[in-house]
């Protein structure tokens, strides 16, 4: 890169026209640094104190038209890998060095940083309820990031601009201040942090501006309620000045006032006596008068009705008057006789009708007693046989539904009966085809979304003796304790595990699925005590690192939060007992359940299970190794094993467990230390990568990477190498592989085999503790003892003291403890150890464990 300067400029020092500036690397895109100097004979880049190889420089030579000086421009690309290799230094920097015959000049340092933005806010806004005109402060501390994140606030998804609305103010430390809360300020507030890498939203904080109610003015008094005498009058006011809003307090005091009053009574007018007739006048008439003075009307009383003056012709003789009076008397007598006749006829007809009704048999025939004999009435008197585990039910046990779409809470099964009208249950296992049951299940309205996978479904018919359902090789089981089903009822119950592709569980923000999605039902059945649903989980079981919620799907298909782990209430119908790898749910209702977690800080981790497979036979030079990364639960492992068995794969190593931490870093996998003389990798890159969110969000049940290797000779069968798995930041794990590709190391058929035991057990065969012995233990330990030798000591000896308050809330605490012991130790429980615990407590009932089953 040497050049000769003109003699006129040979004594000038190099001068930088363009110097490199600070840059950020986003994802894997390299950044370009440019430096331009004049005059110069040579120009190079130095990064972190070391010269950059000249082959990495791009040199351009031009002439500055203004000064006629030669100009040299150099460009280099800086990649993310170069920055990551500088280990132990906080920052990566580069600068230009230009020199001529006169001297050397150095440019300013340009710092290159890997841009990122963490996911979790260090402090998120919290919802508040504030009074009108009150000041509100919403705090927000954005996630750590490079470059530092800019913060904006949103209300109901609309960006808040303090310039256009002076009622808002954003502080220098990103907090939002509402100076005077208005009703319009009610809404969901979100803190948004963003830089060149990503954009993060905090959880929404609901601000509710409430208004306390105020009284209006009193109305005027009403008129007295009494028209005459004592009464009352009232006035009222309303709580509308202002009206309480958004949960504000209502007005205190009375809204109606009453007061006594006396109303003056009205006096209706009355006529006085008629005066005497006057003398006959010149017009041949005489008259008389009366006055409305007995009494006179007053206080709104009525005036007298009628004439106050009468006149009479005084020229008629007495005979005419007599005839007039006789005619009036005759008319009155006729009317009286007619009225008497009508009354007599009416009474005679009424008596005749009553006689007819009394003698009629038409009306009484509708109420004649009828003898009704119920069909199959003998079934009501049948008592269950408790001496055998084989229970047969003949006939149709399902009652008519009251209405379509509703479950019938009858003594019959909740599903349609089998086609032949009868079915027999032996040790809880129906003699019908499992596919037939799944087909019947899918025809019900609520169950059409359930999977039709017979291998992952278990079912049985149960009564008050209880039982157990198990899905083999999944860690999923349902314990139905004795007396959980009311006496006299028979339920046909199923248990199934859902596939994610069949039922998408909505996850918000940083939530992740921690367990399989399990359905048991039918939902809506009446239970006298809780059943226990057991299922695996895949987190570190430290509730300090997680907020774990139990979700349940309702009848409309909507998922609801029903329980927060660690904050269970004994009064709720759900309670969880968390173990290292298993969750046991006490539930008084059946339905579809799942565990969903949200990490509280970067220390939270999920357990992943790494499983390695290869082709069972290899006749070519290429050899494939498949590495599966899945949630560490048995149901997913079973699904992968079944799939590989169909593909003809073989397991080449024991499964390994890896803790995958909550960060934005991806999971990387690579193979190293292969014998180069016999093997080589066909992978172009040094590693394969699974994106962080593909694993954390659980968009797929299992992910895998395939490593394609090539052996140089068909005779090569031995392969030794190292499999390295790590996140970009943090510690990784390395596994040694040493196997012969021509020999089967671990057979799938041997390592995964469906148990021969029944998937459904009903009655005493489902429990280790005999029914009668169980009743004696409960009656002995339920009653409190002064020295504590009761159910409390049993819980302590079984290391269940954390759940004391839950046990105490039950009618029989001992029975719930024994239910949990049965759920935990069905396959590996030692009943003699339980007897030893009873003996330590000091109860003689420990000796009853030595009684044989036949004696029980």
């Amino acid at each position: 890169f040497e050049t000769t300067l003109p003699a006129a400029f040979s004594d000038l020092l190099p001068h930088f026209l363009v110097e490199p500036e600070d840059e950020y690397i986003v994802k894997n895109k390299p950044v370009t640094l440019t430096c331009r100097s004049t005059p110069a004979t040579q120009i190079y880049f130095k990064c972190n104190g070391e010269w950059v190889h000249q082959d990495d420089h791009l040199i351009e030579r031009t002439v500055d038209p203004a000064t006629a000086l030669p100009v040299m421009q150099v460009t280099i690309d800086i990649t993310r890998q170069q920055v990551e290799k500088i280990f132990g230094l906080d920052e990566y920097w580069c600068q230009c060095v230009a020199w001529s015959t006169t001297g050397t000049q150095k440019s300013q340092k340009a710092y290159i940083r890997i841009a990122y933005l963490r996911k979790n806010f260090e402090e998120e806004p919290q919802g508040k309820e504030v009074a009108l005109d009150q000041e509100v402060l919403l705090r927000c501390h954005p996630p750590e990031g490079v470059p530092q994140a800019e913060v904006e606030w949103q209300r109901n998804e609309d960006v808040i601009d303090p310039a256009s609305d002076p009622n808002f103010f954003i502080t220098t430390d990103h907090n939002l201040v509402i100076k005077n809360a208005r009703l319009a300020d009610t809404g969901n507030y979100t803190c948004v942090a963003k830089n060149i890498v990503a954009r993060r939203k905090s959880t929404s904080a609901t601000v509710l501006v409430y208004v306390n109610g105020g009284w209006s003015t009193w109305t005027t008094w009403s008129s007295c309620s009494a028209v005459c005498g004592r009464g009352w009058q009232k006035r009222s006011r309303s709580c509308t000045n202002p009206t309480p809003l958004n949960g504000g307090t209502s007005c205190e005091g009375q809204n109606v006032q009453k007061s006594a009053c006396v109303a003056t009574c009205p006096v209706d007018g009355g006529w006085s006596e008629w005066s005497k007739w006057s003398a006959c006048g010149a017009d041949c008439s005489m008259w008389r008068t009366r006055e409305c003075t007995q009494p006179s009307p007053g206080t709104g009383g009525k005036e007298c009705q009628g004439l106050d003056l009468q006149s009479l012709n005084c020229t008629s003789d007495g005979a005419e008057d007599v005839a007039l009076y006789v005619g009036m008397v005759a008319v009155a007598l006729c009317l009286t006789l007619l009225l008497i006749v009508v009354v007599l006829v009416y009474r005679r007809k009424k008596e005749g009708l009553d006689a007819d009704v009394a003698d009629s048999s038409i009306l009484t025939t509708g109420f004649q007693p009828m003898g009704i004999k119920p069909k199959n009435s003998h079934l009501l008197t049948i008592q269950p046989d408790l001496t055998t585990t084989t229970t047969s039910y003949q006939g149709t046990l399902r009652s008519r539904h009251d209405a379509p779409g509703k479950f019938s809470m009858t003594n019959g099964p909740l599903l349609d009966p089998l086609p032949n009208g009868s079915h027999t249950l032996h040790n809880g296992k129906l003699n019908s085809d499992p596919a037939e049951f799944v087909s019947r299940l899918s025809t019900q309205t609520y169950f059409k979304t359930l999977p039709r996978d017979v291998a992952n479904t278990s079912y049985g018919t149960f009564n008050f003796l209880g039982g157990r359902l198990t899905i083999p090789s999944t860690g999923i089981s349902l314990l139905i304790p004795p007396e959980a089903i009311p006496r006299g009822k028979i339920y046909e119950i199923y248990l199934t595990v859902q596939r994610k592709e069949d039922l998408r569980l909505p996850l918000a923000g940083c939530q992740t699925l921690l367990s399989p999605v399990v359905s048991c039902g039918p939902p809506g059945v009446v239970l006298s005590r809780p059943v226990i649903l057991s299922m695996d989980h895949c987190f570190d079981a430290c509730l300090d690192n997680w907020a774990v919620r139990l979700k349940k799907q309702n009848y409309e298909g909507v998922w609801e939060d029903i329980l927060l782990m660690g904050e269970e209430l004994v009064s709720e119908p759900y309670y969880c007992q968390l173990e290292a790898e298993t969750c046991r749910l006490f539930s008084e209702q059946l339905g579809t359940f799942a565990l969903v977690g949200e990490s509280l800080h970067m220390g939270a981790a999920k357990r992943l299970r790494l499983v390695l497979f290869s082709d069972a036979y290899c006749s070519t030079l290429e050899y494939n190794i498949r590495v599966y990364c899945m949630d560490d639960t048995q149901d997913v492992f079973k699904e992968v094993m079944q799939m590989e068995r169909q593909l003809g794969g073989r397991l080449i190593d024991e499964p390994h467990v890896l803790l995958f931490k909550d960060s934005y870093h991806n999971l990387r996998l690579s193979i190293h230390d292969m014998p180069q003389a016999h093997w080589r990798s066909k992978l172009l890159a040094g590693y394969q990568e699974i994106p962080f969110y593909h694993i954390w969000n659980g968009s797929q049940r299992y992910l895998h990477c395939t490593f394609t290797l090539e052996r140089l000779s068909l005779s090569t069968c031995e392969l030794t190498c190292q499999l390295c798995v790590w996140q970009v930041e943090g510690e990784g794990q390395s596994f040694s592989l040493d196997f012969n590709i021509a020999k089967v190391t671990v057979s799938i058929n041997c390592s995964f085999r469906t148990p021969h035991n029944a998937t459904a057990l009903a009655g005493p065969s489902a429990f280790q503790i005999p029914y009668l012995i169980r009743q004696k233990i409960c009656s002995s330990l339920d009653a409190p003892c002064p020295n504590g030798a009761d159910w409390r000591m049993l819980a302590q000896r079984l290391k269940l003291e954390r759940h004391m308050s839950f046990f105490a809330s039950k009618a029989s605490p001992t029975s719930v403890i024994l239910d949990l012991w049965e759920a935990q130790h069905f396959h590996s429980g030692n009943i003699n150890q339980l007897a030893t615990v009873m003996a330590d407590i000091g109860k003689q009932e420990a000796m009853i464990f030595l009684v044989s089953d036949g004696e029980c």
Side-chain angles (χ1 to χ4, degrees):
F1 303 122
E2 295 184 358
T3 183
T4 303
L5 293 174
F9 307 115
S10 60
D11 59 343
L12 297 178
L13 284 172
H15 172 67
F16 289 99
L17 302 176
V18 176
E19 295 185 83
E21 298 180 351
D22 294 347
E23 296 286 350
Y24 296 98
I25 294 180
V26 180
K27 296 183 179 179
N28 291 321
K29 183 179 179 180
V31 298
T32 302
L33 300 181
T34 303
C35 188
R36 184 181 299 171
S37 175
T38 181
T41 58
Q42 290 182 348
I43 185 169
Y44 288 101
F45 266 99
K46 179 183 287 187
C47 294
N48 275 60
E50 296 183 0
W51 294 104
V52 179
H53 194 274
Q54 64 179 4
D55 292 341
D56 296 331
H57 291 77
L58 179 61
I59 306 294
E60 296 182 3
R61 297 181 179 87
T62 59
V63 176
D64 188 354
T67 61
L69 289 174
V71 177
M72 297 190 68
Q73 176 175 301
V74 61
T75 302
I76 63 172
D77 290 336
I78 303 299
T79 65
R80 184 188 182 104
Q81 288 76 10
Q82 289 176 276
V83 178
E84 289 180 342
K85 286 181 181 178
I86 305 302
F87 204 78
L89 297 178
D90 292 336
E91 295 174 319
Y92 186 91
W93 58 267
C94 292
Q95 68 177 163
C96 282
V97 179
W99 63 86
S100 64
T101 56
T102 305
T104 303
Q105 284 287 78
K106 294 182 179 180
S107 71
Q108 65 182 7
K109 290 183 178 180
Y111 291 90
I112 299 93
R113 302 175 179 88
I114 297 177
Y116 67 91
L117 183 62
R118 303 233 182 241
K119 178 179 60 174
N120 296 328
F121 281 72
E122 296 187 10
E123 184 178 7
E124 293 187 291
Q126 302 296 322
K128 295 184 177 181
E129 295 183 0
V130 296
L132 190 68
D133 297 328
Q134 181 181 340
E135 183 179 274
V136 184
L137 174 63
L138 298 177
R139 298 184 178 276
C140 177
H141 196 170
E144 177 188 351
V146 172
Q148 186 175 0
E150 299 178 356
V151 173
E152 68 179 18
W153 283 87
Q154 295 181 354
R155 180 184 64 190
N156 298 333
E157 304 296 333
D158 295 329
V159 178
I160 296 174
D161 184 11
S164 60
D165 190 347
N167 194 42
F168 294 103
F169 175 70
I170 300 178
T171 64
T172 55
D173 52 352
H174 312 301
N175 298 329
L176 176 67
V177 177
I178 305 176
K179 299 177 183 178
N180 297 292
R182 304 161 297 189
L183 286 177
D185 295 330
T186 297
N188 296 320
Y189 288 79
T190 307
C191 181
V192 180
K194 59 182 178 180
N195 64 6
I196 60 177
V197 177
R199 176 187 178 95
R200 311 286 189 206
K201 280 189 175 183
S202 70
T203 55
S204 295
T206 301
V207 174
L208 186 66
V209 181
Y210 60 86
V211 178
N212 294 326
W215 289 115
S216 64
T217 57
W218 288 103
T219 62
T220 57
W221 288 101
S222 66
S223 58
C224 193
S225 62
V227 179
C228 175
R230 293 184 60 84
W232 55 267
Q233 58 185 161
K234 69 176 181 179
R235 65 176 182 174
S236 63
R237 59 180 178 173
S238 59
C239 190
T240 56
N241 188 28
T243 302
L245 294 173
N246 297 334
T249 58
S250 297
C251 303
E252 295 183 359
Q254 296 179 345
N255 64 338
V256 176
Q257 283 185 345
K258 292 183 179 181
S259 177
C261 60
V262 178
T264 303
C265 297
V267 178
D268 295 335
W271 292 111
S272 64
E273 295 292 333
W274 287 101
S275 65
K276 292 183 179 181
W277 289 100
S278 66
C280 189
D283 56 353
C284 298
S285 65
M286 56 183 180
W287 52 270
R288 64 178 179 175
T289 62
R290 60 179 179 176
E291 295 179 354
C292 189
T293 58
Q294 297 295 329
S296 298
T299 320
K302 297 179 181 179
E303 295 286 340
C304 298
Q305 303 294 321
L307 298 174
D308 60 351
L309 176 65
Q310 280 185 346
S311 64
L312 185 64
N313 191 344
C314 56
T315 59
S316 60
D317 53 12
E320 293 178 351
D321 293 340
V322 172
L324 175 63
Y325 291 137
V326 170
M328 292 177 62
V329 170
V331 171
L333 290 174
C334 291
L335 292 175
T336 303
L337 291 174
L338 179 63
L339 179 61
I340 292 173
V341 171
V342 170
V343 170
L344 292 175
V345 170
Y346 171 75
R347 293 183 61 182
R348 183 176 181 84
K349 287 185 177 181
K350 184 175 184 300
E351 291 174 357
L353 178 61
D354 291 341
D356 292 341
V357 173
D359 296 337
S360 175
S361 62
I362 299 175
L363 298 178
T364 58
T365 55
F367 299 95
Q368 296 297 326
M370 298 177 63
I372 302 176
K373 184 177 181 181
K375 184 179 180 180
N376 296 333
S377 60
H378 67 282
L379 294 178
L380 301 178
T381 61
I382 295 178
Q383 299 296 326
D385 185 6
L386 307 183
T387 61
T388 177
T389 60
T390 301
T391 309
S392 299
Y393 306 104
Q394 301 294 333
T396 301
L397 298 178
R398 183 177 186 272
S399 298
R400 256 197 332 252
H401 287 292
D402 295 334
K406 294 184 179 179
F407 294 108
S408 176
M409 298 295 105
T410 66
N411 291 355
L414 296 180
L415 300 177
D416 293 331
L418 296 178
N420 60 2
S422 65
H423 51 279
T424 304
L425 178 70
H426 296 283
N427 289 335
K429 189 173 182 181
L430 288 172
N431 291 337
S432 60
D433 185 7
E436 182 181 347
F437 171 80
V438 175
S439 177
R440 278 195 305 124
L441 192 67
S442 62
T443 61
Q444 305 293 323
T445 302
Y446 178 73
F447 311 112
K448 289 184 178 179
T449 59
L450 292 179
R452 304 191 180 188
D453 188 357
V454 177
N456 290 324
T457 300
S458 178
Y459 68 98
T461 304
F462 304 94
N463 60 9
F464 77 97
L465 292 176
R468 185 189 306 264
L469 290 175
T470 304
I471 304 178
S473 304
T474 62
I476 299 172
S477 63
L478 179 68
L479 181 75
I480 307 167
E483 307 294 342
I485 297 176
R487 289 178 178 263
K489 291 186 178 294
I490 302 171
Y491 293 156
E492 191 171 19
I493 297 178
Y494 67 85
L495 176 67
T496 185
V497 56
Q498 304 273 13
R499 296 177 181 268
K500 286 186 181 178
E501 54 269 21
D502 296 332
L503 184 63
R504 181 67 64 180
L505 180 66
L507 300 177
C510 308
Q511 292 180 339
T512 180
L513 186 62
L514 300 177
S515 74
V517 181
V518 180
S519 295
C520 58
V525 298
V526 178
L527 297 175
S528 303
R529 51 184 299 187
V531 298
I532 302 179
L533 176 64
S534 301
M535 56 184 175
D536 289 352
H537 64 77
C538 61
F539 69 107
D540 51 17
C542 179
L543 294 180
D544 294 336
N545 299 334
W546 292 88
V548 181
R549 289 176 171 82
L550 177 68
K551 287 183 176 286
K552 182 177 183 289
Q553 191 181 32
N554 62 20
Y555 290 103
E556 289 75 22
V558 179
W559 287 92
E560 301 173 340
D561 293 340
I562 60 174
L563 181 66
L564 177 62
M565 299 286 282
E567 298 183 8
E568 300 93 341
L569 298 177
V570 296
S571 60
E572 297 295 328
Y574 308 99
Y575 189 86
C576 278
Q577 194 259 347
L578 188 65
E579 300 173 7
E581 298 179 356
T582 306
C583 171
R584 306 197 189 275
L585 170 63
F586 291 81
S587 176
E588 298 176 9
Q589 300 175 6
L590 303 183
T592 300
F593 302 94
L595 287 181
V596 172
E598 185 170 0
S599 62
L600 300 179
H601 51 75
M602 304 292 283
K606 288 181 65 174
R607 294 194 320 273
L608 299 183
R609 184 179 298 191
L610 303 179
V611 190
L612 282 69
F613 290 92
S614 66
D615 298 330
Y617 303 100
C618 180
S619 58
T620 63
L621 295 177
E622 287 189 356
Y623 187 70
N624 295 320
I625 296 178
R626 294 181 292 279
V627 182
Y628 287 85
C629 300
M630 67 189 78
D631 292 347
D632 187 22
T633 57
Q634 296 183 54
D635 66 302
V636 184
F637 181 60
K638 173 184 178 180
E639 188 175 342
V640 172
M641 295 291 265
Q642 289 175 333
M643 183 181 65
E644 279 291 335
R645 182 165 53 183
Q646 294 176 356
L647 296 176
R650 65 168 179 168
L651 193 63
I652 59 176
D653 196 18
E654 294 297 330
H656 302 277
V657 176
L658 172 71
L659 292 180
F660 187 75
K661 293 185 176 181
D662 178 21
S663 68
Y664 63 91
H665 297 298
N666 302 334
L667 188 68
R668 292 182 176 178
L669 302 92
S670 61
I671 289 183
H672 304 276
D673 301 337
M674 287 188 304
Q676 298 297 327
H678 304 285
W679 293 89
R680 66 180 179 183
S681 173
K682 301 191 69 175
L683 186 66
L684 298 179
Y687 57 84
Q688 296 194 59
E689 196 167 67
I690 301 178
F692 168 80
Y693 290 105
H694 286 188
I695 298 177
W696 197 260
N697 290 352
S699 57
Q700 301 182 30
R701 288 177 63 84
Y702 44 82
L703 301 161
H704 76 275
C705 295
T706 300
F707 292 91
T708 301
L709 310 179
E710 186 178 22
R711 49 181 176 169
L712 302 182
S713 173
L714 289 175
S715 61
T716 301
C717 295
E718 296 292 335
L719 175 60
T720 58
C721 58
Q722 292 281 333
L723 173 65
C724 296
V725 184
W726 77 102
Q727 283 184 271
V728 175
E729 183 180 275
E731 298 180 358
Q733 296 186 33
S734 179
F735 311 105
S736 298
L737 303 180
D738 186 0
F739 58 93
N740 190 315
I741 68 174
K743 297 179 181 179
V744 177
T745 55
V746 182
S747 173
I748 290 182
N749 292 327
C750 295
S751 60
F752 175 73
R753 190 172 295 166
T754 302
H756 294 291
N757 59 317
T759 59
L761 295 174
S765 63
F767 306 97
Q768 295 198 63
I769 306 173
Y771 183 73
L772 297 180
I773 294 178
R774 173 194 179 92
Q775 290 182 319
K776 291 182 180 180
I777 297 176
C778 293
S779 61
S780 174
L781 297 183
D782 279 343
C785 293
N787 59 354
D790 50 27
W791 64 268
R792 294 169 295 180
M793 186 174 292
L794 176 64
Q796 292 174 353
R797 296 300 174 88
L798 297 179
K799 303 185 185 304
L800 300 174
E801 58 273 10
R802 175 181 176 271
H803 312 287
M804 285 290 194
S805 58
F806 172 68
F807 298 145
S809 66
K810 303 304 177 184
S812 174
T814 308
S815 64
V816 181
I817 297 174
L818 296 180
D819 293 343
L820 183 56
W821 187 88
E822 290 277 6
Q824 291 175 322
H825 302 94
F826 177 61
H827 296 292
S828 59
N830 189 338
I831 200 167
N832 292 329
Q833 292 179 355
L834 186 60
T836 303
V837 171
M838 291 290 297
D840 292 342
I841 296 177
K843 295 293 182 178
Q844 296 300 322
E845 286 77 0
M847 300 303 297
I848 62 181
F849 285 98
L850 302 178
V851 181
S852 65
D853 292 340
E855 296 173 358
C856 293

